[in-house]
Every structure is written in C-alpha cells, then in structure tokens.
Amino acid sequence: MTNRWTDGPGPRLRDVSEDELLAQIFPLLPRGGPVVVAPGDDTALVRTAYGSVLATTDTMVRGRDWLDEWSSPADVGGKSVAQNVADIASMGGRATALLVTLVADPETPVAWVLDFAAGLGAAAAEIEVPIAGGDLSSAPAGTLMVSITALGDVDGDPVLRSGARGGDVVAVAGTLGRSAAGFVLLQQDRADDDEDLVREHVRPRPPYEQGPVARSAGATAMIDLSDGLVRDAGRVAAASGVRLELSTELLRADLDRLTGVLDDDAALGCVLTGGEEHSLLACFPPEVALPDGWRRIGQVGAGEGVTVDGRPRSGGGWDHFHP
Ligand SMILES: Nc1ncnc2c1ncn2[C@@H]1O[C@H](COP(=O)(O)OP(=O)(O)O)[C@@H](O)[C@H]1O
Ligand SMILES: Cc1ncc(C[n+]2csc(CCOP(=O)(O)OP(=O)(O)O)c2C)c(N)n1
Ligand SMILES: [Mg+2]
C-alpha cells in the first residue's frame, strides 16, 4: 500500500533549503494579534496583559546534532540551553524561564536522562534561569530528541535582524570557528590534538550578557551565529536589505587560533562557515564606540548578500536537510 503523502512524487525536504521551506510555510500560518515580532527572527515577541515576552524553541536530535561517542548527556543538556538562550540574547534580551521536552525510545537508560537533566540544570542555574516545565514523549527505537522553549525579557524594543543600515559597523562578540574546528577534530579522531576546541564544540559558551549590552549601545541588527558566519550574516543582509562586507584581515585572531591544528583552508572554512558557536553578530551605527567584548569584522554597504574581501560569498554553513 502506498501512502499519497509519504510516497507520492514531488520535491523532498532535501531538495529545498531551510530558508526556502520556511518561506513556503509562513504564508500558511496566522499572524498578528499579540505576536509583535513574527516568525523569521531569532525569537518571537508576544504581547501579554502585563508587557511582552520573547519566545523561541530549538531542538537537538541524536545522530544529527550530537553523537553519544562525543557528547555526554550533560553536554547535550548544556548545549541545548546555550542554543536557546543565545537566541534570546540576540534580541537584546535575557532568558527568564525554560521548558524542556524529551522524546525518547523506551530503551533509553534512566541514567542518560538524569545526567542530561543535571547538565541542563547546571547550565541554567549558572545563568540563573529556572526551568518552568516541559514534556515527555516516547519514540521509535533509537530516537532521542531534546527540545527547549526559552522565554525572555527585553528592556524596550528588541534588536531585530532587519535594522542594519549602510555605513554601520559589523561586529562580533565571542569566538569564531572554534566549535567547527572541534567538530573537525572529533570527526578525524584527533580530539587529543586540542581538547579546548573540542570542548567549545560539545559545550559552547555564548556571550549571553553581550546581547543586552549591544542593545543598550544602539545595535541596529543582531543574530546569534548558529549556522555559520557567512550564512547568518546573509540572513541579516536579507532582512535589512543591505550587503554585509566582511574582511578576513579583521578575522586574523580567529584564524590564528586554529593555526597548527588545521591547515589554512580548513581554518578559513571553520571561521567563515562553522556553526554552533552561538557567538553574536551585530551592526552598530558608525558613530557608536563598540562596547567592550565586541570587535569589528566588517561594514554594511549598499546591495545584497555577503562579501568577503570584496568578493560575493554564499553557500557553506549548516542546513538541516543538507548536512
Ligand atoms: N516549523 C516552523 N513553523 C513556523 N516558524 C518556524 C518553523 N521553524 C522555524 N521557524 C521560525 O523561522 C525562523 C528561523 O528559524 P531558525 O533557523 O531555527 O532560527 P535560529 O537559527 O535563530 O534558531 C525563526 O523565527 C523560527 O521561529
Ligand atoms: C553528529 C553531528 N553532525 C553534525 C553536526 C553539526 N551541526 C548540527 S546542527 C548544526 C547547526 C546549528 O543547529 P541548530 O542550533 O539546531 O540551528 P538553528 O535552528 O539555531 O539554526 C551543526 C553545524 C553535529 N553537531 N553533530
Ligand atoms: Mg538564532
């Protein structure tokens, strides 16, 4: 028996990019009302009777987002907090509560779940974010998936992806390329070559506090770098209707950190297209002095897309359905 939904002709998810898929999904969904910032940014902003709340969700799946050989359950818990709270930070906000969903094969050891909860709890406690609840659900053999929904507060207007203007400075808070370099070492069975890089991959430490700092300093646009510098810079460029012009000379310190561990091409690939670091990229008006913790990596110009050293650059970076 064939099923017309699952066995029929037509494009598969692997045939479209994530951004193309979302562009087809969004028109099917109702908008407006209390949802002040709609799907398309790092978080939504929803008006409430008392004010407003930032809301976002992010999922990790065993085999796609982590391998059990590389990541302890506590690492998975810590990383799932990081990727969600970084989205709140990238709006200029602070996380206020998390909801945690676990979908697991009944054969999953209880010990896995408890170590995951301990790692998640420790990461949340470190930034003083309480867990508000969650959900448990069973799954077919081998499946293990965790999903967090994060809520947050922002003082005043959030920083969107869409506010960058020609002449702005493009800046980054946090490191670039290290998580991806750690991922390469794990894949090549060379984890001992640089344990710090491997740790950045399994336990990223985003500069959460720099989100509100950038907002207060007047950032015009911001995003957390989950899918790679060029891909995520391209999202700011597209949302703002501008071009982000990056310079490898300004990325020298990031590249130098990887020298001796990876060859020059691989290091450049990690810095420009490596994901999962959850550092913050923001644009600032030219007259603003960059706050401590931020460094210039380029500028905003007229046009579209992203250039690196003056040449248009696209592709690369992470897309869930084209890993
Ligand atoms: N299935 C979906 N339905 C509606 N909106 C979605 C869906 N998946 C993602 N989005 C929205 O699309 C935007 C981009 O998602 P994503 O790439 O996951 O963001 P991020 O990289 O910041 O986590 C977000 O605003 C998110 O809320
Ligand atoms: C086993 C394994 N394969 C591939 C990767 C690489 N990887 C998985 S997700 C991802 C990008 C970020 O994903 P996520 O945080 O879910 O993206 P977002 O929805 O925030 O864009 C990357 C580079 C990995 N970490 N582990
Ligand atoms: Mg994001």
Side-chain angles (χ1 to χ4, degrees), residues 204-243:
R205 295 169 301 145
Y208 307 122
E209 68 293 347
Q210 292 298 338
V213 166
R215 200 197 78 84
S216 301
T220 54
M222 189 152 45
I223 189 167
D224 79 305
L225 298 173
S226 56
D227 296 335
L229 174 60
V230 168
R231 184 177 285 262
D232 287 324
R235 291 180 170 140
V236 171
S240 299
V242 295
R243 183 163 76 192

mmCIF file of all heavy atoms in Angstrom, residues 204-243:
data_model
loop_
_atom_site.group_PDB
_atom_site.id
_atom_site.type_symbol
_atom_site.label_atom_id
_atom_site.label_comp_id
_atom_site.label_asym_id
_atom_site.label_seq_id
_atom_site.Cartn_x
_atom_site.Cartn_y
_atom_site.Cartn_z
ATOM 1 N N PRO A 204 29.372 24.748 24.030
ATOM 2 C CA PRO A 204 29.599 26.156 23.646
ATOM 3 C C PRO A 204 29.240 27.095 24.799
ATOM 4 O O PRO A 204 28.365 26.780 25.605
ATOM 5 C CB PRO A 204 28.662 26.353 22.455
ATOM 6 C CG PRO A 204 27.633 25.284 22.579
ATOM 7 C CD PRO A 204 28.303 24.123 23.262
ATOM 8 N N ARG A 205 29.954 28.216 24.855
ATOM 9 C CA ARG A 205 29.707 29.219 25.909
ATOM 10 C C ARG A 205 29.408 30.567 25.259
ATOM 11 O O ARG A 205 30.286 31.431 25.172
ATOM 12 C CB ARG A 205 30.928 29.318 26.831
ATOM 13 C CG ARG A 205 31.186 28.012 27.616
ATOM 14 C CD ARG A 205 32.528 28.063 28.298
ATOM 15 N NE ARG A 205 33.586 28.257 27.299
ATOM 16 C CZ ARG A 205 34.692 28.964 27.498
ATOM 17 N NH1 ARG A 205 34.901 29.580 28.631
ATOM 18 N NH2 ARG A 205 35.594 29.072 26.532
ATOM 19 N N PRO A 206 28.189 30.757 24.801
ATOM 20 C CA PRO A 206 27.865 32.021 24.119
ATOM 21 C C PRO A 206 27.976 33.214 25.076
ATOM 22 O O PRO A 206 27.753 33.065 26.278
ATOM 23 C CB PRO A 206 26.404 31.839 23.687
ATOM 24 C CG PRO A 206 26.128 30.376 23.798
ATOM 25 C CD PRO A 206 27.037 29.850 24.867
ATOM 26 N N PRO A 207 28.303 34.370 24.529
ATOM 27 C CA PRO A 207 28.422 35.582 25.356
ATOM 28 C C PRO A 207 27.048 36.214 25.583
ATOM 29 O O PRO A 207 26.773 37.319 25.119
ATOM 30 C CB PRO A 207 29.316 36.482 24.498
ATOM 31 C CG PRO A 207 28.979 36.088 23.090
ATOM 32 C CD PRO A 207 28.642 34.636 23.110
ATOM 33 N N TYR A 208 26.203 35.492 26.339
ATOM 34 C CA TYR A 208 24.804 35.940 26.509
ATOM 35 C C TYR A 208 24.696 37.405 26.930
ATOM 36 O O TYR A 208 23.847 38.144 26.466
ATOM 37 C CB TYR A 208 24.106 35.133 27.607
ATOM 38 C CG TYR A 208 24.157 33.661 27.483
ATOM 39 C CD1 TYR A 208 24.708 32.885 28.506
ATOM 40 C CD2 TYR A 208 23.631 33.007 26.373
ATOM 41 C CE1 TYR A 208 24.741 31.505 28.432
ATOM 42 C CE2 TYR A 208 23.668 31.622 26.294
ATOM 43 C CZ TYR A 208 24.223 30.880 27.325
ATOM 44 O OH TYR A 208 24.263 29.530 27.250
ATOM 45 N N GLU A 209 25.548 37.802 27.903
ATOM 46 C CA GLU A 209 25.407 39.132 28.509
ATOM 47 C C GLU A 209 25.648 40.231 27.486
ATOM 48 O O GLU A 209 25.235 41.375 27.696
ATOM 49 C CB GLU A 209 26.335 39.268 29.719
ATOM 50 C CG GLU A 209 27.841 39.300 29.435
ATOM 51 C CD GLU A 209 28.416 37.985 28.888
ATOM 52 O OE1 GLU A 209 27.726 36.945 28.947
ATOM 53 O OE2 GLU A 209 29.552 38.006 28.375
ATOM 54 N N GLN A 210 26.316 39.885 26.352
ATOM 55 C CA GLN A 210 26.610 40.914 25.356
ATOM 56 C C GLN A 210 25.383 41.288 24.515
ATOM 57 O O GLN A 210 25.399 42.303 23.818
ATOM 58 C CB GLN A 210 27.749 40.451 24.438
ATOM 59 C CG GLN A 210 29.091 40.347 25.142
ATOM 60 C CD GLN A 210 29.575 41.682 25.693
ATOM 61 O OE1 GLN A 210 29.153 42.753 25.230
ATOM 62 N NE2 GLN A 210 30.449 41.638 26.684
ATOM 63 N N GLY A 211 24.330 40.479 24.576
ATOM 64 C CA GLY A 211 23.115 40.833 23.829
ATOM 65 C C GLY A 211 22.503 42.124 24.357
ATOM 66 O O GLY A 211 22.362 43.115 23.612
ATOM 67 N N PRO A 212 22.160 42.154 25.658
ATOM 68 C CA PRO A 212 21.641 43.408 26.222
ATOM 69 C C PRO A 212 22.639 44.562 26.138
ATOM 70 O O PRO A 212 22.240 45.717 25.948
ATOM 71 C CB PRO A 212 21.352 43.037 27.684
ATOM 72 C CG PRO A 212 21.125 41.555 27.673
ATOM 73 C CD PRO A 212 22.013 41.013 26.591
ATOM 74 N N VAL A 213 23.939 44.263 26.254
ATOM 75 C CA VAL A 213 24.960 45.320 26.143
ATOM 76 C C VAL A 213 24.877 45.964 24.749
ATOM 77 O O VAL A 213 24.874 47.189 24.614
ATOM 78 C CB VAL A 213 26.378 44.734 26.383
ATOM 79 C CG1 VAL A 213 27.467 45.706 25.945
ATOM 80 C CG2 VAL A 213 26.553 44.345 27.854
ATOM 81 N N ALA A 214 24.795 45.127 23.712
ATOM 82 C CA ALA A 214 24.737 45.653 22.340
ATOM 83 C C ALA A 214 23.456 46.468 22.135
ATOM 84 O O ALA A 214 23.465 47.520 21.490
ATOM 85 C CB ALA A 214 24.799 44.499 21.341
ATOM 86 N N ARG A 215 22.352 45.981 22.691
ATOM 87 C CA ARG A 215 21.084 46.719 22.564
ATOM 88 C C ARG A 215 21.218 48.115 23.180
ATOM 89 O O ARG A 215 20.861 49.115 22.573
ATOM 90 C CB ARG A 215 19.947 45.947 23.230
ATOM 91 C CG ARG A 215 18.569 46.371 22.755
ATOM 92 C CD ARG A 215 17.480 45.907 23.707
ATOM 93 N NE ARG A 215 17.438 46.763 24.867
ATOM 94 C CZ ARG A 215 16.791 47.920 24.928
ATOM 95 N NH1 ARG A 215 16.085 48.341 23.900
ATOM 96 N NH2 ARG A 215 16.844 48.654 26.011
ATOM 97 N N SER A 216 21.761 48.160 24.406
ATOM 98 C CA SER A 216 21.905 49.457 25.085
ATOM 99 C C SER A 216 22.831 50.394 24.320
ATOM 100 O O SER A 216 22.661 51.610 24.353
ATOM 101 C CB SER A 216 22.486 49.272 26.494
ATOM 102 O OG SER A 216 21.658 48.440 27.237
ATOM 103 N N ALA A 217 23.837 49.796 23.646
ATOM 104 C CA ALA A 217 24.798 50.639 22.918
ATOM 105 C C ALA A 217 24.227 51.143 21.599
ATOM 106 O O ALA A 217 24.853 51.961 20.934
ATOM 107 C CB ALA A 217 26.080 49.840 22.659
ATOM 108 N N GLY A 218 23.058 50.631 21.191
ATOM 109 C CA GLY A 218 22.428 51.122 19.962
ATOM 110 C C GLY A 218 22.554 50.208 18.763
ATOM 111 O O GLY A 218 22.444 50.663 17.618
ATOM 112 N N ALA A 219 22.794 48.903 18.990
ATOM 113 C CA ALA A 219 22.877 47.967 17.858
ATOM 114 C C ALA A 219 21.625 48.093 16.997
ATOM 115 O O ALA A 219 20.510 48.199 17.514
ATOM 116 C CB ALA A 219 23.032 46.535 18.366
ATOM 117 N N THR A 220 21.823 48.062 15.666
ATOM 118 C CA THR A 220 20.701 48.209 14.738
ATOM 119 C C THR A 220 20.135 46.861 14.309
ATOM 120 O O THR A 220 18.988 46.752 13.892
ATOM 121 C CB THR A 220 21.154 48.965 13.479
ATOM 122 O OG1 THR A 220 22.299 48.282 12.935
ATOM 123 C CG2 THR A 220 21.523 50.405 13.805
ATOM 124 N N ALA A 221 20.979 45.807 14.364
ATOM 125 C CA ALA A 221 20.551 44.460 13.974
ATOM 126 C C ALA A 221 21.428 43.467 14.724
ATOM 127 O O ALA A 221 22.579 43.775 15.051
ATOM 128 C CB ALA A 221 20.709 44.252 12.468
ATOM 129 N N MET A 222 20.886 42.281 14.998
ATOM 130 C CA MET A 222 21.701 41.275 15.703
ATOM 131 C C MET A 222 21.156 39.889 15.382
ATOM 132 O O MET A 222 19.972 39.704 15.095
ATOM 133 C CB MET A 222 21.668 41.544 17.219
ATOM 134 C CG MET A 222 22.636 40.700 17.999
ATOM 135 S SD MET A 222 23.245 41.454 19.553
ATOM 136 C CE MET A 222 21.778 42.115 20.314
ATOM 137 N N ILE A 223 22.083 38.883 15.450
ATOM 138 C CA ILE A 223 21.722 37.482 15.235
ATOM 139 C C ILE A 223 22.730 36.633 16.013
ATOM 140 O O ILE A 223 23.867 37.071 16.219
ATOM 141 C CB ILE A 223 21.754 37.143 13.722
ATOM 142 C CG1 ILE A 223 21.175 35.759 13.425
ATOM 143 C CG2 ILE A 223 23.180 37.249 13.161
ATOM 144 C CD1 ILE A 223 20.901 35.510 11.920
ATOM 145 N N ASP A 224 22.337 35.448 16.458
ATOM 146 C CA ASP A 224 23.354 34.550 17.020
ATOM 147 C C ASP A 224 23.843 33.641 15.895
ATOM 148 O O ASP A 224 23.089 33.281 14.984
ATOM 149 C CB ASP A 224 22.826 33.747 18.223
ATOM 150 C CG ASP A 224 21.974 32.576 17.795
ATOM 151 O OD1 ASP A 224 20.997 32.805 17.062
ATOM 152 O OD2 ASP A 224 22.275 31.435 18.185
ATOM 153 N N LEU A 225 25.128 33.290 15.955
ATOM 154 C CA LEU A 225 25.750 32.545 14.855
ATOM 155 C C LEU A 225 25.607 31.056 15.115
ATOM 156 O O LEU A 225 26.460 30.434 15.735
ATOM 157 C CB LEU A 225 27.210 32.974 14.717
ATOM 158 C CG LEU A 225 27.375 34.462 14.368
ATOM 159 C CD1 LEU A 225 28.839 34.869 14.410
ATOM 160 C CD2 LEU A 225 26.766 34.780 13.002
ATOM 161 N N SER A 226 24.505 30.479 14.630
ATOM 162 C CA SER A 226 24.270 29.043 14.819
ATOM 163 C C SER A 226 24.646 28.252 13.577
ATOM 164 O O SER A 226 25.050 27.101 13.675
ATOM 165 C CB SER A 226 22.811 28.781 15.176
ATOM 166 O OG SER A 226 21.935 29.304 14.200
ATOM 167 N N ASP A 227 24.523 28.853 12.408
ATOM 168 C CA ASP A 227 24.701 28.099 11.162
ATOM 169 C C ASP A 227 25.940 28.526 10.382
ATOM 170 O O ASP A 227 26.131 28.069 9.251
ATOM 171 C CB ASP A 227 23.455 28.263 10.276
ATOM 172 C CG ASP A 227 22.216 27.670 10.935
ATOM 173 O OD1 ASP A 227 22.372 26.773 11.778
ATOM 174 O OD2 ASP A 227 21.102 28.114 10.615
ATOM 175 N N GLY A 228 26.758 29.393 10.948
ATOM 176 C CA GLY A 228 27.966 29.838 10.261
ATOM 177 C C GLY A 228 27.911 31.334 9.990
ATOM 178 O O GLY A 228 26.847 31.884 9.687
ATOM 179 N N LEU A 229 29.101 31.979 10.082
ATOM 180 C CA LEU A 229 29.175 33.440 9.951
ATOM 181 C C LEU A 229 28.557 33.942 8.640
ATOM 182 O O LEU A 229 27.715 34.845 8.644
ATOM 183 C CB LEU A 229 30.661 33.854 10.039
ATOM 184 C CG LEU A 229 30.992 35.312 9.784
ATOM 185 C CD1 LEU A 229 30.295 36.230 10.782
ATOM 186 C CD2 LEU A 229 32.515 35.526 9.832
ATOM 187 N N VAL A 230 28.974 33.355 7.505
ATOM 188 C CA VAL A 230 28.503 33.888 6.224
ATOM 189 C C VAL A 230 27.000 33.650 6.052
ATOM 190 O O VAL A 230 26.253 34.539 5.633
ATOM 191 C CB VAL A 230 29.300 33.266 5.056
ATOM 192 C CG1 VAL A 230 28.644 33.583 3.726
ATOM 193 C CG2 VAL A 230 30.744 33.767 5.084
ATOM 194 N N ARG A 231 26.534 32.452 6.415
ATOM 195 C CA ARG A 231 25.109 32.150 6.239
ATOM 196 C C ARG A 231 24.254 33.065 7.128
ATOM 197 O O ARG A 231 23.246 33.633 6.693
ATOM 198 C CB ARG A 231 24.813 30.685 6.553
ATOM 199 C CG ARG A 231 23.366 30.296 6.282
ATOM 200 C CD ARG A 231 23.140 28.825 6.533
ATOM 201 N NE ARG A 231 23.691 27.991 5.490
ATOM 202 C CZ ARG A 231 22.989 27.473 4.474
ATOM 203 N NH1 ARG A 231 21.696 27.726 4.370
ATOM 204 N NH2 ARG A 231 23.558 26.715 3.571
ATOM 205 N N ASP A 232 24.657 33.229 8.394
ATOM 206 C CA ASP A 232 23.847 34.043 9.307
ATOM 207 C C ASP A 232 23.983 35.541 8.993
ATOM 208 O O ASP A 232 23.008 36.290 9.113
ATOM 209 C CB ASP A 232 24.207 33.724 10.760
ATOM 210 C CG ASP A 232 23.663 32.351 11.178
ATOM 211 O OD1 ASP A 232 22.565 31.997 10.722
ATOM 212 O OD2 ASP A 232 24.333 31.629 11.939
ATOM 213 N N ALA A 233 25.182 35.970 8.556
ATOM 214 C CA ALA A 233 25.328 37.363 8.104
ATOM 215 C C ALA A 233 24.401 37.601 6.911
ATOM 216 O O ALA A 233 23.796 38.672 6.768
ATOM 217 C CB ALA A 233 26.776 37.650 7.730
ATOM 218 N N GLY A 234 24.265 36.583 6.052
ATOM 219 C CA GLY A 234 23.371 36.688 4.901
ATOM 220 C C GLY A 234 21.919 36.885 5.327
ATOM 221 O O GLY A 234 21.143 37.540 4.633
ATOM 222 N N ARG A 235 21.556 36.312 6.465
ATOM 223 C CA ARG A 235 20.179 36.488 6.964
ATOM 224 C C ARG A 235 19.945 37.927 7.417
ATOM 225 O O ARG A 235 18.865 38.485 7.190
ATOM 226 C CB ARG A 235 19.917 35.498 8.101
ATOM 227 C CG ARG A 235 19.856 34.081 7.570
ATOM 228 C CD ARG A 235 19.608 33.046 8.634
ATOM 229 N NE ARG A 235 19.342 31.772 7.963
ATOM 230 C CZ ARG A 235 19.787 30.593 8.368
ATOM 231 N NH1 ARG A 235 20.490 30.501 9.486
ATOM 232 N NH2 ARG A 235 19.514 29.501 7.684
ATOM 233 N N VAL A 236 20.959 38.525 8.056
ATOM 234 C CA VAL A 236 20.844 39.941 8.440
ATOM 235 C C VAL A 236 20.781 40.797 7.173
ATOM 236 O O VAL A 236 19.953 41.715 7.069
ATOM 237 C CB VAL A 236 22.030 40.368 9.335
ATOM 238 C CG1 VAL A 236 22.035 41.877 9.550
ATOM 239 C CG2 VAL A 236 21.970 39.621 10.670
ATOM 240 N N ALA A 237 21.632 40.480 6.199
ATOM 241 C CA ALA A 237 21.651 41.250 4.946
ATOM 242 C C ALA A 237 20.285 41.187 4.269
ATOM 243 O O ALA A 237 19.735 42.216 3.843
ATOM 244 C CB ALA A 237 22.743 40.702 4.020
ATOM 245 N N ALA A 238 19.711 39.972 4.183
ATOM 246 C CA ALA A 238 18.423 39.810 3.500
ATOM 247 C C ALA A 238 17.310 40.537 4.259
ATOM 248 O O ALA A 238 16.484 41.230 3.657
ATOM 249 C CB ALA A 238 18.094 38.322 3.372
ATOM 250 N N ALA A 239 17.295 40.390 5.594
ATOM 251 C CA ALA A 239 16.223 41.019 6.385
ATOM 252 C C ALA A 239 16.326 42.540 6.338
ATOM 253 O O ALA A 239 15.317 43.244 6.390
ATOM 254 C CB ALA A 239 16.280 40.517 7.835
ATOM 255 N N SER A 240 17.561 43.064 6.250
ATOM 256 C CA SER A 240 17.775 44.513 6.306
ATOM 257 C C SER A 240 17.814 45.160 4.925
ATOM 258 O O SER A 240 17.798 46.399 4.830
ATOM 259 C CB SER A 240 19.101 44.811 7.038
ATOM 260 O OG SER A 240 19.087 44.338 8.365
ATOM 261 N N GLY A 241 17.946 44.341 3.866
ATOM 262 C CA GLY A 241 18.041 44.914 2.515
ATOM 263 C C GLY A 241 19.358 45.633 2.291
ATOM 264 O O GLY A 241 19.397 46.705 1.667
ATOM 265 N N VAL A 242 20.444 45.060 2.812
ATOM 266 C CA VAL A 242 21.775 45.658 2.682
ATOM 267 C C VAL A 242 22.778 44.555 2.341
ATOM 268 O O VAL A 242 22.420 43.382 2.227
ATOM 269 C CB VAL A 242 22.218 46.339 3.999
ATOM 270 C CG1 VAL A 242 21.325 47.524 4.319
ATOM 271 C CG2 VAL A 242 22.230 45.317 5.154
ATOM 272 N N ARG A 243 24.053 44.963 2.200
ATOM 273 C CA ARG A 243 25.128 43.986 1.996
ATOM 274 C C ARG A 243 26.068 44.024 3.203
ATOM 275 O O ARG A 243 26.423 45.117 3.669
ATOM 276 C CB ARG A 243 25.905 44.349 0.730
ATOM 277 C CG ARG A 243 26.979 43.332 0.418
ATOM 278 C CD ARG A 243 27.447 43.472 -1.006
ATOM 279 N NE ARG A 243 28.315 44.628 -1.141
ATOM 280 C CZ ARG A 243 28.689 45.131 -2.310
ATOM 281 N NH1 ARG A 243 28.239 44.605 -3.436
ATOM 282 N NH2 ARG A 243 29.486 46.168 -2.363
#
